[in-house]
Amino acid sequence: MAKRIEVKFKDEIRDPRAEGLAALLREEFKAKIARAAVIEAYNIDGELSEDELRLLGSEVFSDKIVQEYSSSKPFLAEGWRIEIGYQPGVTDNVGKTAKDAIRDALNRELDVYSSMVYAIIGEVDEEACEKFGRRLANGLIQKITVRTPHSDNFEPYVPKVALAQEIRVETVKLPADEDKLEQLSKKRLLALSVREMKAIRKYVSSDSVVKARRQAGLGDELTDVELEVIAQTWSEHCKHKIFNAEIAYSEDSDSYNVDSLFKTFIRGATEMLRKPYVLSAFKDNGGIVKFNPDYDVAVKVETHNAPSALDPYGGALTGILGVNRDIIGTGMGAFPIANVDMLCFGNLNEKNVPHGVLHPKTIYEGVVSGIRDGGNKSGIPTVNGSFTFEPGFTARPIIYCGTVGLMPTEIRGRKTADKKVEPGLIAVMVGGRVGKDGIHGATFSSQQLETSIPTSVVQIGDPITQKKVLDFIIEARDELLYEAITDNGAGGLSSSIGEMAEQSNGCDIWLEAVPLKYPGLQPWEILVSESQERMTIAVKQENMERLEQIAKKHEVEITAVGKFTDSGRLHALYEGKSVAYLDLDFLHKPPRLKLTAKWKRKTFVEPNVTERDLGAVLRKLLALPNIASKEHTIRRYDHEVQGKSVIKPLMGNNAPCDAAVIRPVFESWEGLVVSHGICPKYVQDSHDMAMMAFDEAVRNALAVGAKLGYMAALDNFSWPDPVQSEKTPDGEYKLAQLVRACMAVYDCSIGYGIPLVSGKDSVKNDYYGKDGKYSIPPTLLMTVIGKIGDVRNAISSDFKGEGDAVYVLGVTREELGGSEYYRIFGGLGNDAPKISLDEVMPLYRAFSGACELRLVRSAHDISDGGLAVALAECSFPSGMGVEIDVSKIHAETQNEDALLFSESGGRFVVSVAEKNVEKFEKAMHGTKFSRCGRVRGDKRFVVRKGESVLVNEDGRDLRGIWNGVKI
Amino acid sequence: MNGKTKAAVLTGYGINADYELEYALRASGAEARRLHIHELMDSPKMLDDFNLLAFAGGFSFGDDLGSGKVVANKFRFRLKDQMMDFVKQGKLVIGICNGFQMIAKMGLLPYADFSQKVTLSFNDSGKFEDRWVYLKMNQKSPCVFTQGIGGLMLPVRHGEGKFISDGATLKDLAAKNMVAMQYVNERDEFAGYPYNPNGSAMNIAGICNPEGNVFGLMPHPEAYNAMTNNPFWPGVRERITDWKGSGMKIFENAVSHINGKF
């Protein structure tokens, strides 16, 4: 018999959660709510005495100062009660904690299922409550029950998983017919093409394979385990088939072949540059860069787009925790010291949301909460990030999560950047148990979103379990108790052990040994499940005992689940019987794609500019979601934990900063800089878009004082499906966009002298709804990590002193295409910004030198909204005004709107104390820079062009607008 | 203990501000080590090796069941007598953020009698917030940690930091100068949100026991270990001579109080 305890705030105590609920329902549904309450329910699967219930209610589940509990009847039964609990098998973190807490109090092991009850008294009916429920819950993972007033139902909600099926391994016949092969791939969610299915068929029917399989006790047909392993390993997500394809590219009369975008343009650039500070690029879970003689940093950025579209909270949370694990699994393990998140959404007030898609506002709220919990609860500061709002992201948000980790260069003489898997080592799974959650994540992310997606692909992370795993790993690492480590991400054990086995050249996996959340999982499910918070380590037998001790202390479960061999095969067994036996050579070499890319420049509609009052334009710009202050959201993230912050997302009085600076090692003043650039709005040519993204990332890093010459970059591509097909008739164009972006990344990498150390691609960002197909705009995120010799030289963006000289560095051009200015008037225009590397590099070198000499008091890059917006962002937080004369800046245009709002790259606004003006100008000598104004002591915001005043506004009014949009 | 400050910084279960707290204590002259709560529960005698016990911030058990609650119960059910003894000997206890939530809910504050009188609950704003706040110390407070400190800026970062208690307890806290630290504005005046970031009664940011050796606070002094942590530092760069963070005074006070005593 299950029991239930409800906990609620006492009537006389203010409950901000209940207030928030009432406000939300009033605002979004115009509901007439007299009273709302938030009730926590604990549904305990077991018999409990009255005394035990009392103890749990009063001492364990409620805070007696502010809350009360009931173990016999529902609270607020006179109102409507909307109960939201998890579907069976979905991770229930609160339930898990409650189980721990009961153990402490009663010394009993009882499963607990948590649920929330939202009780409402007011003029509402059943239909309204059901609507509220759908707003408050995610039907994909949660169950909503609405109870009418005066129902005294106190039934515990116990969503136990019941898998009755027997354990069995099926064999799968690969049909001769191509259509049937395709159907099979679709039916089993394998995401394999006909060509790939045929390659598999060929492999399994070859004589040597048949013979070897028979010896291993397998038949002549593939098992479901094998087919799933191949599908996971060959997924776009794991093998990057498009980036490794042979591509025939053509533009106008020119055409050439690209033999792998990745090898040619990405790794190619890094190999060309040969920077000594790059310790590991593109071979581990993350890139590794030398920080100082004693420490290295590991860095990785991932996308988590598809899951976040379906379950924004769980998707983003899992995204953060997943990339944290990548870092924990880089080299011999790094300690995460910073998170970054770059998010792209549709407009928050979008009216036209395709059928089957969550509203951008819902996605945004869920994602922000997921990032908050992912970072805050893990104790990793969120140091940098951005929001991009574009209609193109309505059907498919893009969620980039990145992490930087710190590792000692050596531990007792052993290099931490290297790891080695040798035959004979034991494969040990560390952390969470395996359930049906997250099955098919890798293959799923390699497919386009459709309206019918099974629940099992959605996962919810548990930051606390992962934090325990991290604490355990770091302690084990420092005692050198394992030889290699990797995370369990996409593809689960099949991919973590499978990839490690490449080094030793083989592995045995014992599937029955894998600890499960609940019985009844099939062997193939155990192997590919993406249940979270797991790492795999390779351990010498003699270290197992000590490892167990440390695991026990941290309350982390570790299990030997296999052994590394040199058999050349991935051999999975279930209770001693072979269930998979695959050649690693075959498994890790999927057939290469051959694709065609054709570039042809498109023409875009020019806007109809109707507003000539530039002050009025500026006011409009400051309220645009891409420009307005993001303080309301940023403050929900912890930027301070670990105590290493130097330049944070907001400095002084909410000055938005260009990049993060942290001090990774307490005993040193050396700083690490993290910045990024992302500008999908420049859709005119993905080449120029990519150049701008790279330039923005570099400029942002320079603006806080990073040293040019000691930077590394990460490239993260999010693209719509670029493979020509019936579903994608413009695939050749989209692939050409991808090729052009890659070429730009190469050119920038070489031109700036910045090697690429890690990256990722997500290339199926399309949504197929009832009413058609929706594709995202090509989106490249460039992340830069850099170094500053002494953080006490770091620079923030806000003006510092009245009378300081204001400079604009760089050249302003008539480049309004894709700008925020044009956005106001509708129409993208054609002249989007372009970067000239020859022009910007001398400027960047000189500027970096001036910063090292401490000659710069503030610096800010000029981007969204152009010079006018950049000046505004420098002046509001300082509480000071500014006055500049745009006739003095270096410009190739005399149009006033372009001077103020063009988003030309390569530019900064900088302020310099009067006493340093001479030295600064000397340092900048020979570059395109101009002194064009000064910081005013009052709050006026004045822009002149010679004698004519273009803008004369009260800075406080502008600030009010900029701050007034609640993002 | 040779008159030295020996500090244990509790960790485990999602506590996450332990490394910087360990650093802050060390840099202030203490011998400090991180200690897993599980280790302490397994061998409570370990407490004798320390004269300062620090409950670090973080998200123990994900704040499920209420922030700090599950760890508080671990101590209440399993380590009550040892803890009371520790405090009675005059040894120091500090709880920061999640650590404050733990020691408040276990009843180590305000009276170190394991009876809960105060709590920290959801911010009035309804959300987790990270911001720097201005703080005023009560010069008459017996609090060991705040002696001689007038004003201070520190970061807060919490979703459950609103100090709540009943009228009688609040009165007693005020009467005995147990309110050691309060939220103010930049002019040292009591002010509303966001200066008081969570809606705490009497603008309370931190309290101590009547003897002053147990201190709990929501702001994070360990996260102000260098001047470069302060969000306003670039504006005053030219005037900074000592780059040590002002938050360190809290720990230096503890160390100078203990040194020579145990």
Side-chain angles (χ1 to χ4, degrees), chain A residues 738-778:
Chain A
L738 184 62
V739 174
R740 293 180 66 74
C742 288
M743 292 193 285
V745 168
Y746 179 86
D747 289 345
C748 287
S749 172
I750 301 294
Y752 294 122
I754 300 177
L756 303 158
V757 294
S758 177
K760 205 71 196 261
D761 55 282
S762 164
V763 283
K764 303 270 162 139
N765 292 292
D766 306 277
Y767 175 75
Y768 294 87
K770 273 187 189 158
D771 42 358
K773 175 179 176 178
Y774 298 84
S775 298
I776 63 153

Short mmCIF file of all heavy atoms in Angstrom, two decimals, chain A residues 738-778:
data_model
loop_
_atom_site.label_atom_id
_atom_site.label_comp_id
_atom_site.label_asym_id
_atom_site.label_seq_id
_atom_site.Cartn_x
_atom_site.Cartn_y
_atom_site.Cartn_z
N LEU A 738 27.14 25.55 -46.62
CA LEU A 738 28.01 24.93 -45.62
C LEU A 738 29.47 24.96 -46.08
O LEU A 738 30.38 25.28 -45.30
CB LEU A 738 27.55 23.48 -45.37
CG LEU A 738 28.30 22.71 -44.28
CD1 LEU A 738 28.12 23.38 -42.92
CD2 LEU A 738 27.81 21.27 -44.20
N VAL A 739 29.69 24.64 -47.35
CA VAL A 739 31.05 24.66 -47.88
C VAL A 739 31.64 26.07 -47.75
O VAL A 739 32.78 26.25 -47.31
CB VAL A 739 31.07 24.21 -49.36
CG1 VAL A 739 32.46 24.36 -49.96
CG2 VAL A 739 30.59 22.76 -49.49
N ARG A 740 30.84 27.06 -48.09
CA ARG A 740 31.34 28.44 -48.05
C ARG A 740 31.67 28.87 -46.62
O ARG A 740 32.65 29.57 -46.37
CB ARG A 740 30.32 29.40 -48.67
CG ARG A 740 30.16 29.17 -50.17
CD ARG A 740 29.14 30.13 -50.78
NE ARG A 740 29.57 31.52 -50.73
CZ ARG A 740 30.49 32.05 -51.52
NH1 ARG A 740 31.10 31.30 -52.41
NH2 ARG A 740 30.81 33.32 -51.41
N ALA A 741 30.83 28.43 -45.68
CA ALA A 741 31.12 28.77 -44.28
C ALA A 741 32.42 28.11 -43.83
O ALA A 741 33.23 28.72 -43.14
CB ALA A 741 29.95 28.33 -43.39
N CYS A 742 32.63 26.88 -44.27
CA CYS A 742 33.86 26.18 -43.89
C CYS A 742 35.09 26.86 -44.49
O CYS A 742 36.13 26.99 -43.83
CB CYS A 742 33.81 24.72 -44.34
SG CYS A 742 32.66 23.73 -43.37
N MET A 743 34.95 27.30 -45.73
CA MET A 743 36.07 28.01 -46.35
C MET A 743 36.40 29.28 -45.56
O MET A 743 37.57 29.62 -45.34
CB MET A 743 35.73 28.38 -47.80
CG MET A 743 35.61 27.16 -48.71
SD MET A 743 35.58 27.57 -50.48
CE MET A 743 33.94 28.22 -50.69
N ALA A 744 35.35 29.97 -45.12
CA ALA A 744 35.57 31.20 -44.35
C ALA A 744 36.25 30.89 -43.02
O ALA A 744 37.14 31.62 -42.59
CB ALA A 744 34.23 31.90 -44.11
N VAL A 745 35.83 29.80 -42.39
CA VAL A 745 36.44 29.43 -41.11
C VAL A 745 37.93 29.16 -41.32
O VAL A 745 38.78 29.59 -40.52
CB VAL A 745 35.72 28.20 -40.51
CG1 VAL A 745 36.52 27.62 -39.34
CG2 VAL A 745 34.32 28.58 -40.04
N TYR A 746 38.25 28.48 -42.42
CA TYR A 746 39.65 28.20 -42.71
C TYR A 746 40.42 29.51 -42.89
O TYR A 746 41.47 29.72 -42.28
CB TYR A 746 39.75 27.34 -43.97
CG TYR A 746 41.18 27.02 -44.36
CD1 TYR A 746 41.85 25.92 -43.81
CD2 TYR A 746 41.88 27.82 -45.26
CE1 TYR A 746 43.16 25.63 -44.15
CE2 TYR A 746 43.20 27.54 -45.60
CZ TYR A 746 43.83 26.44 -45.05
OH TYR A 746 45.13 26.16 -45.37
N ASP A 747 39.88 30.38 -43.74
CA ASP A 747 40.58 31.64 -44.01
C ASP A 747 40.78 32.45 -42.73
O ASP A 747 41.85 33.03 -42.52
CB ASP A 747 39.77 32.49 -45.01
CG ASP A 747 39.83 31.89 -46.41
OD1 ASP A 747 40.69 31.02 -46.66
OD2 ASP A 747 38.99 32.28 -47.26
N CYS A 748 39.77 32.49 -41.90
CA CYS A 748 39.88 33.26 -40.65
C CYS A 748 40.90 32.62 -39.73
O CYS A 748 41.73 33.31 -39.12
CB CYS A 748 38.54 33.32 -39.93
SG CYS A 748 37.35 34.39 -40.72
N SER A 749 40.84 31.32 -39.62
CA SER A 749 41.76 30.62 -38.73
C SER A 749 43.20 30.95 -39.11
O SER A 749 44.02 31.32 -38.27
CB SER A 749 41.50 29.12 -38.80
OG SER A 749 42.47 28.41 -38.10
N ILE A 750 43.49 30.85 -40.40
CA ILE A 750 44.85 31.16 -40.87
C ILE A 750 45.14 32.65 -40.71
O ILE A 750 46.19 33.05 -40.22
CB ILE A 750 45.01 30.75 -42.35
CG1 ILE A 750 44.73 29.24 -42.53
CG2 ILE A 750 46.39 31.13 -42.88
CD1 ILE A 750 45.71 28.31 -41.86
N GLY A 751 44.18 33.47 -41.13
CA GLY A 751 44.39 34.93 -41.13
C GLY A 751 44.60 35.49 -39.74
O GLY A 751 45.47 36.33 -39.51
N TYR A 752 43.79 35.05 -38.78
CA TYR A 752 43.94 35.53 -37.40
C TYR A 752 45.05 34.77 -36.68
O TYR A 752 45.45 35.13 -35.57
CB TYR A 752 42.65 35.34 -36.60
CG TYR A 752 41.47 36.17 -37.06
CD1 TYR A 752 40.28 35.56 -37.45
CD2 TYR A 752 41.53 37.56 -37.06
CE1 TYR A 752 39.19 36.31 -37.85
CE2 TYR A 752 40.44 38.32 -37.45
CZ TYR A 752 39.27 37.69 -37.86
OH TYR A 752 38.20 38.43 -38.24
N GLY A 753 45.48 33.66 -37.26
CA GLY A 753 46.47 32.82 -36.59
C GLY A 753 45.89 32.10 -35.39
O GLY A 753 46.57 31.88 -34.38
N ILE A 754 44.62 31.73 -35.50
CA ILE A 754 43.94 31.08 -34.37
C ILE A 754 43.57 29.65 -34.75
O ILE A 754 42.70 29.44 -35.60
CB ILE A 754 42.68 31.87 -33.97
CG1 ILE A 754 43.08 33.29 -33.57
CG2 ILE A 754 41.95 31.16 -32.84
CD1 ILE A 754 41.91 34.17 -33.23
N PRO A 755 44.20 28.65 -34.15
CA PRO A 755 43.90 27.27 -34.50
C PRO A 755 42.52 26.84 -33.99
O PRO A 755 42.02 27.38 -32.99
CB PRO A 755 44.99 26.48 -33.76
CG PRO A 755 45.36 27.35 -32.61
CD PRO A 755 45.20 28.77 -33.08
N LEU A 756 41.92 25.89 -34.69
CA LEU A 756 40.65 25.31 -34.24
C LEU A 756 41.00 24.07 -33.42
O LEU A 756 41.82 23.26 -33.83
CB LEU A 756 39.82 24.93 -35.46
CG LEU A 756 39.55 26.11 -36.41
CD1 LEU A 756 39.21 25.62 -37.81
CD2 LEU A 756 38.45 26.99 -35.86
N VAL A 757 40.39 23.94 -32.25
CA VAL A 757 40.77 22.80 -31.40
C VAL A 757 39.62 21.83 -31.15
O VAL A 757 39.85 20.72 -30.69
CB VAL A 757 41.35 23.26 -30.04
CG1 VAL A 757 42.67 23.98 -30.26
CG2 VAL A 757 40.37 24.14 -29.29
N SER A 758 38.41 22.26 -31.45
CA SER A 758 37.27 21.37 -31.23
C SER A 758 36.10 21.96 -31.99
O SER A 758 36.11 23.12 -32.37
CB SER A 758 36.96 21.28 -29.74
OG SER A 758 35.83 20.49 -29.52
N GLY A 759 35.09 21.13 -32.21
CA GLY A 759 33.93 21.64 -32.91
C GLY A 759 32.89 20.56 -33.01
O GLY A 759 33.09 19.44 -32.56
N LYS A 760 31.78 20.91 -33.60
CA LYS A 760 30.71 19.94 -33.71
C LYS A 760 29.77 20.42 -34.80
O LYS A 760 29.69 21.60 -35.08
CB LYS A 760 29.96 19.87 -32.37
CG LYS A 760 29.25 18.55 -32.11
CD LYS A 760 30.19 17.42 -31.83
CE LYS A 760 29.55 16.06 -31.97
NZ LYS A 760 29.14 15.46 -30.70
N ASP A 761 29.07 19.47 -35.40
CA ASP A 761 28.08 19.87 -36.37
C ASP A 761 26.76 19.21 -36.08
O ASP A 761 26.69 18.07 -35.64
CB ASP A 761 28.55 19.50 -37.78
CG ASP A 761 28.88 18.04 -37.89
OD1 ASP A 761 29.98 17.64 -37.43
OD2 ASP A 761 28.07 17.28 -38.42
N SER A 762 25.71 19.96 -36.30
CA SER A 762 24.34 19.47 -36.16
C SER A 762 23.67 19.88 -37.47
O SER A 762 23.47 21.06 -37.72
CB SER A 762 23.70 20.16 -34.96
OG SER A 762 22.30 20.01 -35.00
N VAL A 763 23.40 18.90 -38.31
CA VAL A 763 23.06 19.26 -39.70
C VAL A 763 21.68 18.78 -40.15
O VAL A 763 21.46 18.59 -41.33
CB VAL A 763 24.12 18.70 -40.68
CG1 VAL A 763 25.36 19.54 -40.66
CG2 VAL A 763 24.44 17.27 -40.36
N LYS A 764 20.79 18.60 -39.21
CA LYS A 764 19.42 18.22 -39.62
C LYS A 764 18.42 19.08 -38.86
O LYS A 764 17.52 18.57 -38.20
CB LYS A 764 19.16 16.74 -39.32
CG LYS A 764 20.12 15.77 -39.98
CD LYS A 764 19.66 15.33 -41.34
CE LYS A 764 20.80 14.76 -42.11
NZ LYS A 764 20.50 13.59 -42.89
N ASN A 765 18.60 20.37 -38.94
CA ASN A 765 17.73 21.24 -38.15
C ASN A 765 16.54 21.72 -38.97
O ASN A 765 16.44 22.88 -39.36
CB ASN A 765 18.54 22.40 -37.59
CG ASN A 765 19.53 21.94 -36.55
OD1 ASN A 765 19.14 21.49 -35.47
ND2 ASN A 765 20.81 21.97 -36.88
N ASP A 766 15.67 20.75 -39.23
CA ASP A 766 14.45 21.04 -39.99
C ASP A 766 13.27 20.49 -39.21
O ASP A 766 13.40 19.53 -38.46
CB ASP A 766 14.49 20.33 -41.35
CG ASP A 766 15.74 20.67 -42.13
OD1 ASP A 766 15.75 21.72 -42.78
OD2 ASP A 766 16.72 19.89 -42.04
N TYR A 767 12.14 21.11 -39.41
CA TYR A 767 10.92 20.58 -38.80
C TYR A 767 9.90 20.33 -39.90
O TYR A 767 9.64 21.21 -40.72
CB TYR A 767 10.35 21.58 -37.78
CG TYR A 767 9.02 21.14 -37.22
CD1 TYR A 767 8.96 20.11 -36.28
CD2 TYR A 767 7.83 21.71 -37.66
CE1 TYR A 767 7.75 19.67 -35.78
CE2 TYR A 767 6.61 21.28 -37.16
CZ TYR A 767 6.57 20.26 -36.22
OH TYR A 767 5.37 19.81 -35.73
N TYR A 768 9.38 19.11 -39.92
CA TYR A 768 8.34 18.77 -40.89
C TYR A 768 7.00 18.74 -40.18
O TYR A 768 6.71 17.81 -39.44
CB TYR A 768 8.63 17.42 -41.53
CG TYR A 768 9.88 17.44 -42.38
CD1 TYR A 768 11.13 17.21 -41.82
CD2 TYR A 768 9.80 17.72 -43.74
CE1 TYR A 768 12.28 17.25 -42.60
CE2 TYR A 768 10.94 17.77 -44.53
CZ TYR A 768 12.18 17.53 -43.95
OH TYR A 768 13.30 17.58 -44.72
N GLY A 769 6.23 19.78 -40.35
CA GLY A 769 4.92 19.85 -39.70
C GLY A 769 3.84 19.53 -40.70
O GLY A 769 4.10 19.24 -41.86
N LYS A 770 2.61 19.60 -40.19
CA LYS A 770 1.46 19.36 -41.06
C LYS A 770 1.43 20.37 -42.21
O LYS A 770 1.01 20.06 -43.31
CB LYS A 770 0.17 19.54 -40.25
CG LYS A 770 -0.28 18.28 -39.54
CD LYS A 770 -1.65 18.55 -38.91
CE LYS A 770 -2.03 17.39 -38.01
NZ LYS A 770 -3.03 17.79 -37.02
N ASP A 771 1.84 21.59 -41.89
CA ASP A 771 1.71 22.66 -42.88
C ASP A 771 3.03 22.96 -43.59
O ASP A 771 3.24 24.05 -44.08
CB ASP A 771 1.15 23.92 -42.22
CG ASP A 771 1.79 24.18 -40.86
OD1 ASP A 771 2.63 23.36 -40.42
OD2 ASP A 771 1.48 25.21 -40.24
N GLY A 772 3.93 22.00 -43.63
CA GLY A 772 5.12 22.20 -44.43
C GLY A 772 6.42 22.05 -43.66
O GLY A 772 6.44 21.62 -42.51
N LYS A 773 7.50 22.41 -44.33
CA LYS A 773 8.83 22.23 -43.77
C LYS A 773 9.39 23.55 -43.28
O LYS A 773 9.23 24.58 -43.93
CB LYS A 773 9.74 21.66 -44.86
CG LYS A 773 11.19 21.51 -44.47
CD LYS A 773 11.99 20.91 -45.61
CE LYS A 773 13.45 20.84 -45.27
NZ LYS A 773 14.24 20.23 -46.34
N TYR A 774 10.04 23.51 -42.15
CA TYR A 774 10.68 24.70 -41.60
C TYR A 774 12.15 24.41 -41.38
O TYR A 774 12.50 23.43 -40.73
CB TYR A 774 10.04 25.09 -40.27
CG TYR A 774 8.57 25.42 -40.39
CD1 TYR A 774 7.61 24.42 -40.37
CD2 TYR A 774 8.16 26.74 -40.53
CE1 TYR A 774 6.26 24.72 -40.49
CE2 TYR A 774 6.82 27.06 -40.65
CZ TYR A 774 5.86 26.04 -40.63
OH TYR A 774 4.55 26.34 -40.74
N SER A 775 13.02 25.25 -41.92
CA SER A 775 14.46 25.06 -41.76
C SER A 775 15.05 26.27 -41.06
O SER A 775 14.64 27.40 -41.32
CB SER A 775 15.12 24.91 -43.13
OG SER A 775 14.61 23.76 -43.79
N ILE A 776 16.04 26.02 -40.23
CA ILE A 776 16.71 27.15 -39.57
C ILE A 776 17.63 27.84 -40.57
O ILE A 776 18.04 27.25 -41.56
CB ILE A 776 17.56 26.69 -38.36
CG1 ILE A 776 18.70 25.75 -38.79
CG2 ILE A 776 16.72 26.04 -37.29
CD1 ILE A 776 19.88 25.78 -37.86
N PRO A 777 17.98 29.11 -40.30
CA PRO A 777 19.03 29.73 -41.11
C PRO A 777 20.37 29.09 -40.73
O PRO A 777 20.56 28.71 -39.57
CB PRO A 777 18.99 31.19 -40.69
CG PRO A 777 18.36 31.22 -39.35
CD PRO A 777 17.45 30.02 -39.28
N PRO A 778 21.28 28.96 -41.69
CA PRO A 778 22.60 28.41 -41.36
C PRO A 778 23.21 29.21 -40.21
O PRO A 778 23.21 30.44 -40.23
CB PRO A 778 23.41 28.63 -42.64
CG PRO A 778 22.40 28.68 -43.72
CD PRO A 778 21.18 29.32 -43.11
#
